[in-house]
Amino acid sequence: SPKSGDCGTNGENGVLRLESPEITLPAATSFARATFEHWFATEAGWDGGNLEVSVNGGPWQLVPPSEFTFNNYTFLLFSAAQGNSNPLAGQPSWTGANAGDLNGGSWGRSHVNLGNFAQAGDRVRLRWNYGTDGCTGRVGWYLDNVNLFSCTPRVPEVSVADVAAAEGNAGESQLSFTV
């Protein structure tokens, strides 16, 4: 059921953060990626969470929607000008829940490209931020099964060699490929 807070001057707005340990990308990394499973049921538009990355001890950077290849942020949180006291106001986030279900939420996996942030040998930290305004919260946000990895595409090599044949014959071809 919805939680209540004080929407006045004593609001319970704030940000809770979960940070990964520092992860050094191996020398063979061609393009870093991350996946994680999460479940959320928040007050749509007012409360929600997003992902940041820090590289080599540098500043935290919000991972923009363009870097998600699956299960992207669901909405921009309402802005401070719209009355949102959430410190993440106006930022992209996972907010709300399944359509028509304010408290139910569901588990999903998000996929994110980190290759535009970090390269082979870099040290990476991930940080999940969950921001709330001061009142009418929901259940929250849960995170599990975080994976950071690099994939190198294995594109098959294809070659076709035609063998000359006498006129009237169907001709012969050789097709070979390796993976």
Side-chain angles (χ1 to χ4, degrees):
S1 67
K3 311 293 183 247
S4 293
D6 179 353
C7 292
T9 58
N10 295 321
E12 296 178 14
N13 52 315
V15 177
L16 300 170
R17 293 186 166 101
L18 178 65
E19 295 180 8
S20 75
E22 188 173 81
I23 302 163
T24 301
L25 299 178
T29 301
S30 62
F31 196 85
R33 292 167 171 81
T35 64
F36 55 94
E37 294 177 18
H38 54 134
W39 182 102
F40 59 94
T42 72
E43 183 185 15
W46 303 99
D47 303 333
N50 57 31
L51 178 64
E52 292 180 318
V53 62
S54 170
V55 180
N56 297 323
W60 290 102
Q61 303 171 67
L62 178 68
V63 176
S66 61
E67 297 303 324
F68 286 89
T69 59
F70 186 73
N71 201 17
N72 204 340
Y73 300 122
T74 57
F75 192 70
L76 288 176
L77 292 175
F78 296 124
S79 69
Q82 293 171 301
N84 193 356
S85 62
N86 181 339
L88 302 180
Q91 293 185 19
S93 74
W94 290 282
T95 183
N98 288 341
D101 186 357
L102 293 177
N103 298 308
S106 67
W107 284 95
R109 178 180 296 275
S110 289
H111 299 218
V112 61
N113 288 330
L114 297 174
N116 291 327
F117 293 98
Q119 308 301 317
D122 285 343
R123 299 177 328 276
V124 175
R125 292 187 74 191
L126 300 175
R127 179 166 76 180
W128 292 264
N129 300 308
Y130 177 62
T132 62
D133 67 351
C135 57
T136 317
R138 299 286 181 228
V139 177
W141 189 23
Y142 298 88
L143 180 70
D144 200 4
N145 297 323
V146 175
N147 292 289
L148 188 65
F149 60 95
S150 175
C151 291
T152 303
R154 296 185 66 194
V155 179
E157 294 179 26
V158 178
S159 64
V160 177
D162 289 331
V163 175
E167 190 173 322
N169 291 343
E172 298 176 19
S173 295
Q174 289 181 335
L175 175 63
S176 65
F177 63 93
T178 57
V179 178

